[in-house]
Amino acid sequence: MTRSTEGQSGTVLAGSPADGPMVRVEDLRRSYGTGAAAVHALRGVSFEVPRGELVALKGRSGSGKTTLLNLVGGLDAPDGGRITVGGTDLAGLDEDGLLELRRDRIGFIFQSFGLIPILTAAENVGVPMRLRKTDPHEREERVALLLSLVGLGDHTRQRPGELSGGQQQRVAIARALANRPAFLIADEPTGQLDAETGLAVMQLLRAVVRSEGVTVLVATHDPQLLSFADRVLELSDGHIVEHV
Ligand SMILES: Nc1ncnc2c1ncn2[C@@H]1O[C@H](COP(=O)(O)OP(=O)(O)OP(=O)(O)O)[C@@H](O)[C@H]1O
Ligand SMILES: [Mg+2]
């Protein structure tokens, strides 16, 4: 392992399964707006994501899945409640601490891929490592390894516009893994893909949980994909129901 141990979040997240769950959420609340127009997206949500598991988050459109993932990833702050990621209480991190956590320890995958159009597949995967000033040789080696892991070893020089949707999402998965995150957050990663391609992407995520030892929290409303999960959380009326 070449997992870096510099920085506060670095040492905290590089733990073993004995260190407790990857994510612990307690009585989480988040509303949008005020007064009669307020939307109470999360009304006291509690759950855990054990290390090394793939946990699916389901719920109808508007049930609060994206809201919850953004909070767990430190992209948004809650109105109440507590979130710990790898034992670190997110409320205790300042902006720089959150930035470091997101850059070094959490990988994000979005429904819309989020690739940079003018960069090749390889350059896109390399971006998080550039932000972290990883040695160029090490970066190139890891980019090649990740692109072959996601089955795109022959497409490294193509730009997103020259790749299919499924291929673009696989580039995005490779990019999310670039800095060896302990934790992957995926928001409807198969939402823009056909059923067969979505299945392949989900299988890839499943494989990555094994090969890279990461923990995954993935929002999906595709019932076909729930079978890949170790456990399923359902958001309904601002609360979580767990299906093990
Ligand atoms: N920035 C915002 N301002 C106001 N309301 C918001 C905002 N973001 C989300 N909401 C509201 O909060 C609720 C939860 O939205 P959220 O995006 O978390 O749902 P979701 O489960 O991800 O839905 P989908 O499956 O369609 O992606 C919705 O009622 C939505 O309209
Ligand atoms: Mg959403």
Side-chain angles (χ1 to χ4, degrees):
M1 278 306 259
T2 55
R3 193 194 296 287
S4 144
T5 51
E6 86 273 39
Q8 184 205 0
S9 57
T11 47
V12 177
L13 284 195
S16 67
D19 295 332
M22 177 56 67
V23 178
R24 179 178 285 139
V25 167
E26 293 162 84
D27 197 27
L28 199 63
R29 291 161 193 279
R30 178 70 166 99
S31 301
Y32 297 104
T34 52
V39 174
H40 303 288
L42 306 176
R43 299 167 180 265
V45 161
S46 301
F47 64 91
E48 290 185 353
V49 178
R51 282 177 201 262
E53 286 198 4
L54 192 160
V55 174
L57 178 64
K58 71 169 186 174
R60 61 171 178 75
S61 178
S63 61
K65 300 183 296 296
T66 296
T67 300
L68 180 55
L69 294 183
N70 286 344
L71 291 171
V72 170
L75 294 166
D76 183 24
D79 299 324
R82 190 157 169 257
I83 306 164
T84 59
V85 177
T88 301
D89 188 341
L90 298 197
L93 297 177
D94 59 13
E95 272 306 311
D96 285 349
L98 285 171
L99 204 71
E100 189 182 301
L101 180 86
R102 291 195 299 262
R103 185 193 62 197
D104 298 346
R105 300 297 148 197
I106 303 180
F108 290 92
I109 301 165
F110 302 101
Q111 180 173 350
S112 54
F113 320 139
L115 300 174
I116 300 171
I118 59 163
L119 300 184
T120 65
E123 288 164 348
N124 267 285
V125 175
V127 165
M129 287 180 270
R130 282 182 187 274
L131 292 175
R132 208 177 163 187
K133 300 187 169 46
T134 303
D135 167 76
H137 288 295
E138 192 188 329
R139 188 180 73 224
E140 274 167 38
E141 265 179 37
R142 180 134 179 99
V143 165
L145 178 95
L146 287 169
L147 281 171
S148 70
L149 177 77
V150 299
L152 292 177
D154 294 332
H155 301 269
T156 61
R157 300 182 69 81
Q158 285 168 244
R159 294 192 168 80
E162 301 158 352
L163 294 166
S164 72
Q167 288 172 334
Q168 288 180 58
Q169 193 56 302
R170 285 187 275 150
V171 173
I173 291 172
R175 181 187 54 185
L177 291 169
N179 286 337
R180 303 173 200 275
F183 179 38
L184 270 188
I185 293 176
D187 193 356
E188 312 237 13
T190 64
Q192 285 192 17
L193 308 175
D194 62 72
E196 196 182 328
T197 311
L199 207 61
V201 162
M202 209 60 191
Q203 272 161 350
L204 173 63
L205 276 181
R206 181 74 258 179
V208 153
V209 170
R210 293 200 191 96
S211 66
E212 298 263 317
V214 299
T215 305
V216 179
L217 178 60
V218 53
T220 178
H221 44 216
D222 184 345
Q224 197 194 341
L225 303 181
L226 298 174
S227 59
F228 287 91
D230 294 303
R231 68 187 70 210
V232 177
L233 306 172
E234 180 171 8
L235 259 175
S236 175
D237 296 326
H239 296 280
I240 284 273
V241 189
E242 182 160 358
H243 310 261
V244 180

